[in-house]
């Protein structure tokens, strides 16, 4: 994720979901839930004091999924993300 702000330029990385392998086997998460979690401040690895990941804008994002994710579902999730 690349936050748009005038004072800092750089990339912000996030990981989601961050759960144990043992827990992952029985917790179903949708592509939308995983995507939403990746934009939550607690899942971001870099913190900017002047940047609010929920309210501020992004110049560009790159979301990489792994596993059995259908491109149609990923594209629909990106469209949902743009509207919210």
């Amino acid at each position: 994720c690349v936050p748009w702000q005038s004072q800092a330029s750089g990339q912000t990385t996030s990981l989601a979901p961050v759960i144990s392998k043992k827990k992952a086997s029985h917790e179903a998460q949708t592509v939308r839930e995983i995507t939403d979690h990746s934009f939550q401040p607690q899942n971001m690895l870099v913190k900017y004091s002047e940047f609010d990941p929920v309210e501020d804008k992004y110049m560009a994002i790159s979301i990489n999924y792994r596993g059995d994710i259908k491109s149609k579902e990923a594209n629909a999730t990106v469209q949902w993300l743009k509207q919210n």
Side-chain angles (χ1 to χ4, degrees), residues 3 5 39 41 44 48-58:
Q5 59 182 54
F39 286 91
M44 294 195 170
Y48 295 109
S49 60
E50 300 284 325
F51 179 67
D52 180 354
V54 177
E55 295 296 324
D56 289 347
K57 304 292 181 199
Y58 293 86

Side-chain angles (χ1 to χ4, degrees), residues 3-73:
W4 172 260
Q5 59 182 54
S6 59
Q7 297 175 350
S9 62
Q11 295 182 351
T12 300
T13 303
S14 66
L15 300 172
V18 180
I19 55 176
S20 70
K21 187 175 182 180
K22 188 177 193 181
K23 203 174 185 183
S25 65
H26 66 274
E27 286 198 13
Q29 292 199 342
T30 66
V31 174
R32 188 177 285 190
E33 289 173 325
I34 292 168
T35 304
D36 187 51
H37 285 292
S38 69
F39 286 91
Q40 298 303 316
Q42 66 269 20
N43 294 326
M44 294 195 170
L45 302 178
V46 177
K47 307 292 185 211
Y48 295 109
S49 60
E50 300 284 325
F51 179 67
D52 180 354
V54 177
E55 295 296 324
D56 289 347
K57 304 292 181 199
Y58 293 86
M59 287 175 42
I61 62 169
S62 173
I63 303 173
N64 300 303
Y65 300 100
R66 62 184 183 138
D68 189 22
I69 305 294
K70 306 289 185 220
S71 61
K72 185 175 182 177
E73 188 176 8

